[in-house]
Amino acid sequence: MNNDSSSRIVTRLKDWIAGAAPGAKLPSTRHLVAEYQASPVTVQKALRTLMGQGLIESRPGVGTFVRAYRTARPSDYGWQTAALRAAQTARPLSSGAMRSAPNDVIAFHSGYPDRELLPERLVRAALLRAARGDAAMSRPPAQGLPELQTWFAQELSTSTPVGVTPPQPSDVVILPGSQSGLSSIFRGLVGHGQPLLVESPSYWGALLAAGQAGVTMIPVPSGPEGPDPEELDRAFEESGARLFYAQPNFANPTGAQWSAERGEEVLEIVRRHGAFLVEDDWAHDFGITASSVPMAAKEDSGHVVYIRSLTKSVSPSIRVAAVIARGPARERIMGAQAAESMYVSGVLQAAALDVVTQPGWQTHLRGLSHQLQSRRDLLVTSLREHVPQAHISHLPKGGLNLWLRMPDGFDVHQLTRDCEAAGVLIAAGTEWFPAEPEGPHIRLNYAGPNPGRFPEGARIIGEAVKAQLGA
């Protein structure tokens, strides 16, 4: 009987709720007992059923109310189609390399080093000290903390040869990450609709920043030794470009490092055309069997705009970078940067400076080099065993990535989907080309988590490759 009575009350109250306004108060339990001639236990059971169905909600000490919910309906954003017009760039607004990965997958896709490769103890201590200092409550100068400007300038000065004027702290502008700096450089030094020369392949984030700045990207083919000087000279001549974006040391994605001779050739071409070389030294701290020797250290007439970030080597949460530019170019970049970000958090700047000036920083970098080498070699060995169809053009002397050339006609996007279904994340190489890719490539990060599973990941990639090739 109680069950029948409870069901009867539920049915009757549903009819009442359907006609009531959201938030309406239900009659009291005493009133319901009297109205339905049921026991308090039966009424309470009916109310619990309605609560479980999400129709009512109880507010202790106040009463029971009709849940205030709204029926979901599709939103109409059609007006935005007319307001936004056609997109200025067809490039995706993010990259597969930025995807978060579950703990149970083998992650080769990311562009960041694993947490165990970061100076966690130094970072935590630095953030605590920065939070207790004046930086927590004061606005830093627009160009950055003077002490951090000095550190970046001195870092570049250590590679400056005799006879070349080293950069001054006043040439340094502190940035909220190198991505922000690239956007400011392209807006300030190139401008909308103007040509920009870029290595091909090149860093996907730079291509995104260039696309958003509205510049016209002109690819310059670049291999293990860097860009072809004749192709670079011809691209300057034909396009009238005045800026060339490149990564001379441990390029992302290829890992290429220019020789000293190639660097001199490039500088000569840049000078002859009255142009700028934007040198992205993103992997300065990730040398393995070679060190990063910046081009900017060899040139003091303002032709090289140098950008270096601490985000990858210190912590993803410490988004601090610097651009070093001499002459009016620095003022143009600062102007473009001010439109995007007035200044960089003083706490982050103080923490970054604290980390890189600790004695433990150099000790950490020496250990990091050995760890990267063992991870790189393990992945290369595993790939040569399980994925012989993939060609590794060269063994990178630094950086975080391996660049693999797949057989002609290979569908790298299908490969990424097949690998993901099997628990392995990889990055298709198409994102790193400013125009059509010259061939099918994939990029694998050997600085990712759990290197003990690298052989397993290579085996899974190899099985997916065989399945696509029908082998």
Side-chain angles (χ1 to χ4, degrees):
M1 282 296 291
N2 283 342
N3 287 339
D4 291 342
S5 298
S6 174
S7 300
R8 177 173 54 86
I9 296 173
V10 167
T11 301
R12 295 281 297 277
L13 284 178
K14 279 185 175 181
D15 292 339
W16 185 88
I17 291 169
K25 186 176 182 179
L26 270 70
S28 66
T29 301
R30 179 179 298 178
H31 181 92
L32 295 174
V33 166
E35 180 178 353
Y36 296 114
Q37 297 295 301
S39 69
V41 173
T42 302
V43 170
Q44 288 296 330
K45 183 177 179 180
L47 293 176
R48 285 196 300 271
T49 299
L50 293 170
M51 288 180 192
Q53 295 175 357
L55 299 177
I56 62 174
E57 58 186 356
S58 175
R59 302 176 192 172
V62 179
T64 304
F65 299 82
V66 175
R67 184 177 293 277
Y69 69 93
R70 290 176 294 182
T71 302
R73 61 179 177 82
S75 299
D76 182 7
Y77 300 123
W79 67 270
Q80 292 191 7
T81 301
L84 294 172
R85 305 299 183 191
Q88 294 184 358
T89 174
R91 300 199 67 84
L93 298 181
S94 186
S95 165
M98 296 296 292
R99 293 176 56 191
S100 297
N103 293 331
D104 59 342
V105 305
I106 303 173
F108 291 129
H109 70 299
S110 176
Y112 286 80
D114 186 40
R115 179 172 173 172
E116 68 178 26
L117 298 177
L118 301 177
E120 184 170 344
R121 180 181 59 81
L122 295 179
V123 170
R124 291 186 180 278
L127 284 170
L128 286 173
R129 284 190 286 268
R132 291 196 296 263
D134 292 340
M137 300 302 296
S138 59
R139 180 182 67 81
Q143 66 271 24
L145 295 180
E147 300 86 350
L148 190 56
Q149 289 179 288
T150 299
W151 182 84
F152 275 109
Q154 289 177 344
E155 281 282 292
L156 192 55
S157 298
T158 59
S159 302
T160 302
V162 176
V164 176
T165 304
Q168 301 301 307
S170 57
D171 298 322
V172 180
V173 179
I174 305 301
L175 309 165
S178 60
Q179 189 66 27
S180 173
L182 292 173
S183 295
S184 298
I185 290 169
F186 296 151
R187 290 198 311 272
L189 302 187
V190 183
H192 192 277
Q194 298 302 306
L196 166 70
L197 304 187
V198 295
E199 287 183 291
S200 180
S202 188
Y203 169 47
W204 70 267
L207 304 182
L208 174 62
Q212 292 296 311
V215 306
T216 301
M217 287 181 281
I218 300 172
V220 176
S222 190
E225 301 299 324
D228 184 302
E230 292 185 3
E231 290 291 340
L232 177 62
D233 189 47
R234 186 177 66 159
F236 269 122
E237 189 70 36
E238 293 180 352
S239 69
R242 290 295 177 264
L243 192 145
F244 174 41
Y245 169 78
Q247 304 168 86
N249 289 287
F250 318 134
N252 178 6
T254 65
Q257 184 178 34
W258 299 1
S259 65
E261 294 76 15
R262 181 60 54 86
E264 288 297 333
E265 288 182 280
V266 169
L267 273 180
E268 177 56 32
I269 293 169
V270 168
R271 292 190 189 104
R272 189 166 66 249
H273 287 278
F276 294 96
L277 167 66
V278 175
E279 178 182 12
D280 187 347
D281 197 15
W282 74 277
H284 186 90
D285 299 318
F286 298 130
I288 297 177
T289 56
S291 299
S292 174
V293 181
M295 301 292 297
K298 307 172 184 178
E299 215 283 332
D300 58 7
S301 59
H303 283 283
V304 180
V305 176
Y306 177 78
I307 187 166
R308 178 181 171 187
S309 174
L310 296 176
T311 300
K312 284 186 170 66
S313 55
V314 173
S315 168
S317 296
I318 307 292
R319 291 202 57 78
V320 172
V323 61
I324 299 180
R326 311 191 199 202
R330 178 183 181 275
E331 305 308 314
R332 292 281 185 95
I333 295 169
M334 275 203 69
Q337 183 64 36
E340 180 176 309
S341 176
M342 294 295 183
Y343 54 85
V344 182
S345 163
V347 170
L348 294 184
Q349 291 189 66
L353 179 65
D354 188 320
V355 170
V356 297
T357 54
Q358 290 291 329
W361 172 244
Q362 293 301 323
T363 302
H364 164 74
L365 291 181
R366 286 191 291 271
L368 175 61
S369 175
H370 294 303
Q371 292 184 74
L372 289 176
Q373 181 170 7
S374 63
R375 287 164 172 259
R376 179 202 65 184
D377 294 348
L378 174 60
L379 183 54
V380 168
T381 301
S382 302
L383 290 169
R384 286 175 174 165
E385 177 183 355
H386 297 289
V387 200
Q389 304 89 342
H391 176 65
I392 302 174
S393 61
H394 73 288
L395 191 67
K397 298 178 181 179
L400 306 176
N401 308 301
L402 289 178
W403 186 239
L404 279 65
R405 174 67 150 84
M406 306 306 292
D408 288 340
F410 197 84
D411 188 340
V412 292
H413 293 288
Q414 183 61 50
L415 179 63
T416 60
R417 292 190 292 269
D418 293 342
C419 288
E420 182 172 358
V424 175
L425 295 182
I426 64 174
T430 48
E431 295 182 6
W432 283 269
F433 287 92
E436 293 81 4
E438 44 82 14
H441 295 80
I442 60 172
R443 194 199 72 168
L444 304 180
N445 180 356
Y446 50 76
N450 201 355
R453 298 188 70 189
F454 284 6
E456 178 188 355
R459 177 185 58 78
I460 291 172
I461 295 172
E463 291 173 353
V465 170
K466 288 179 183 178
Q468 187 176 144
L469 294 175

